[in-house]
Amino acid sequence: MNSQIKRLVQLLEETHGLSDEQFALLLTAEDDQLSACLSERARAVREKYYGRSVYIRGLIEFTNYCKNDCFYCGIRKSQPSVSRYRLTEEQILQCCAVGYRLGFRTFVLQGGEDPYWNDDRLCGLVAAVKTGHPDCAVTLSVGERSRESYQKLFDAGADRYLLRHETADPAHYRSLHPEEMDAANRLRCLNALKEIGYQTGCGFMVGSPGQTIGHIVKDLQFIRQFRPQMVGIGPFIPAAGTPFESQPKGSSELTIKLLSMIRLMLPSVLLPATTALGTAEKDGRERGIQAGANVIMPNLSPADVRQKYQLYNDKLSTGEEAAESVAKLRSSMEKIGYNVVTDRGDYLTE
Ligand code: 5AD
């Protein structure tokens, strides 16, 4: 490997950051050995902090109603063909009970921005999950809300919050979203979440339409400065019926390289090998784990609603029951030398 590139990997590992130019060099270098080298270093760092444990989060997609119209998203408001559903609190608690028996100790309640789930209803739900499973963490992923709302949900017992920043470049953000959404509001939300005390996750799609290397550099610098406890990244995958349906999909190779770079920047970050990566490549989750990721988020939603939560084409969703998919996951992780653990898997403070 070119010695300049090699030094940059070392510098990233030692100082947890690089200049814009240096990041751009690493992202564009056409060096076969670079990804292998990044992945090896990222693996070493993740093992130092988390050993070979893989944390699982039970993902419950509890509503696909959404008031937003993001150009990339398969459940955007103006998708004509989506059959909308909303799980009841009872159904959601049932998913948690099944998940608990399978070893899940974190439940991720994810949904579109659905006005039905106002603060009272959502706080009631969070409190009910925590009462039923006091030893579990609850992660929310329900988009932009007011600071007061985030505070109420935190007080009701929510521990973590996922809100991808989507892109750190305001003009690029505009090009992915309708008029009424803007990057400044997204940042306001992320800052509020962190200040309130949530373990907070940001993230972006790799290869979203119009994304340049310069934008990814900005994303990395944003992540470095924001210091999230979690980072979610996955390749962009076009969704039929959206304005971006004919756009090319994002690169899995670049996604995997970025997972390694993010592990080196934030050694103790909780980093999922995402469903999008698992959808784009049949061994995507395994490759993500081998490149420094340490979290997997299997779907705990009832089998009959899963195909209705199609954020993008062919989103990974088997008809199999949660139990079956967890058993498969355990064995596929064992094959590559990792162990799925029954653990809340909280962020380690360095
Ligand atoms: N391809 C990949 N990821 C997508 N998301 C939404 N639509 C797509 C798509 N077409 C991601 C967004 C969002 C998260 C829930 O899913 O980054 O924040």
Side-chain angles (χ1 to χ4, degrees):
M1 191 173 33
N2 165 333
S3 64
Q4 185 195 14
I5 297 290
K6 201 166 185 170
R7 269 202 308 279
L8 289 182
V9 176
Q10 256 169 17
L11 192 65
L12 181 58
E13 180 174 352
E14 283 159 16
T15 66
H16 311 300
L18 292 176
S19 68
D20 291 357
E21 295 70 28
Q22 291 170 327
F23 270 135
L25 253 174
L26 274 194
L27 290 170
T28 52
E30 298 210 7
D31 187 321
D32 290 348
Q33 288 164 356
L34 171 58
S35 292
C37 169
L38 277 169
S39 154
E40 185 203 311
R41 297 316 310 150
R43 224 165 27 231
V45 169
R46 95 65 113 194
E47 279 184 30
K48 181 167 152 215
Y49 286 82
Y50 292 104
R52 292 195 151 232
S53 300
V54 173
Y55 298 129
I56 49 170
R57 318 300 196 194
L59 182 63
I60 303 170
E61 296 159 335
F62 70 100
T63 173
N64 72 352
Y65 284 87
C66 191
K67 66 175 160 65
N68 288 335
D69 223 8
C70 309
F71 302 150
Y72 44 83
C73 184
I75 61 166
R76 66 198 293 263
K77 175 177 66 181
S78 45
Q79 282 287 87
S81 58
V82 175
S83 139
R84 304 284 169 174
Y85 73 90
R86 186 180 283 133
L87 300 183
T88 62
E89 179 171 307
E90 197 186 324
Q91 285 175 306
I92 298 167
L93 294 173
Q94 184 58 35
C95 291
C96 294
V98 170
Y100 192 88
R101 284 198 291 277
L102 292 172
F104 288 92
R105 294 296 177 270
T106 292
F107 300 112
V108 181
L109 305 178
Q110 182 170 89
E113 291 193 18
D114 176 1
Y116 171 87
W117 287 101
N118 58 20
D119 291 346
D120 279 353
R121 291 192 177 110
L122 203 49
C123 284
L125 172 64
V126 169
V129 175
K130 294 292 281 196
T131 305
H133 306 286
D135 54 337
C136 291
V138 170
T139 304
L140 291 174
S141 177
V142 289
E144 297 180 8
R145 302 172 79 96
S146 67
R147 188 189 176 103
E148 295 66 45
S149 170
Y150 289 146
Q151 183 69 57
K152 283 186 196 162
L153 292 164
F154 187 77
D155 296 340
D159 303 275
R160 310 186 188 132
Y161 205 103
L162 303 176
L163 182 68
R164 290 192 178 177
H165 66 284
E166 310 297 358
T167 168
D169 182 90
H172 186 223
Y173 192 95
R174 287 238 133 273
S175 74
L176 299 176
H177 299 96
E179 278 294 312
E180 56 283 6
M181 292 178 74
D182 64 66
N185 196 46
R186 202 73 166 183
L187 285 187
R188 181 193 61 70
C189 290
L190 280 166
N191 286 324
L193 289 164
K194 199 135 179 272
E195 279 166 27
I196 289 168
Y198 285 95
Q199 294 173 47
T200 305
C202 65
F204 61 97
M205 292 175 285
V206 178
S208 59
Q211 184 184 60
T212 62
I213 292 294
H215 293 146
I216 300 178
V217 170
K218 278 195 174 179
D219 288 321
L220 293 175
Q221 300 293 21
F222 168 73
I223 287 170
R224 182 175 182 213
Q225 159 255 309
F226 183 65
R227 308 204 122 270
Q229 284 85 9
M230 306 172 282
V231 176
I233 62 164
F236 164 74
I237 302 173
T242 64
F244 291 160
E245 70 175 354
S246 305
Q247 298 290 323
K249 82 178 174 68
S251 155
S252 302
E253 310 310 320
L254 185 55
T255 304
I256 290 167
K257 194 172 177 184
L258 280 161
L259 286 173
S260 301
M261 291 172 68
I262 292 166
R263 171 62 63 202
L264 296 180
M265 287 166 59
L266 300 173
S268 65
V269 74
L270 295 164
L271 189 64
T274 53
T275 307
L277 185 57
T279 299
E281 306 297 327
K282 77 173 185 329
D283 57 351
R285 284 171 159 179
E286 290 80 359
R287 287 172 63 192
I289 294 294
Q290 287 172 306
N294 66 333
V295 172
I296 292 188
M297 301 168 66
N299 202 322
L300 278 184
S301 313
D304 60 314
V305 303
R306 283 189 213 161
Q307 69 286 359
K308 297 181 183 161
Y309 204 88
Q310 284 288 342
L311 298 182
Y312 40 81
N313 296 346
D314 307 318
K315 179 165 163 273
L316 210 58
S317 124
T318 60
E320 66 201 8
E321 294 307 312
E324 205 180 324
S325 72
V326 172
K328 280 192 188 158
L329 183 64
R330 282 184 198 281
S331 92
S332 83
M333 288 298 128
E334 274 164 25
K335 277 196 195 121
I336 58 168
Y338 288 83
N339 318 304
V340 168
V341 296
T342 295
D343 193 309
R344 268 176 59 122
D346 283 298
Y347 180 74
L348 297 174
T349 28
E350 285 155 54

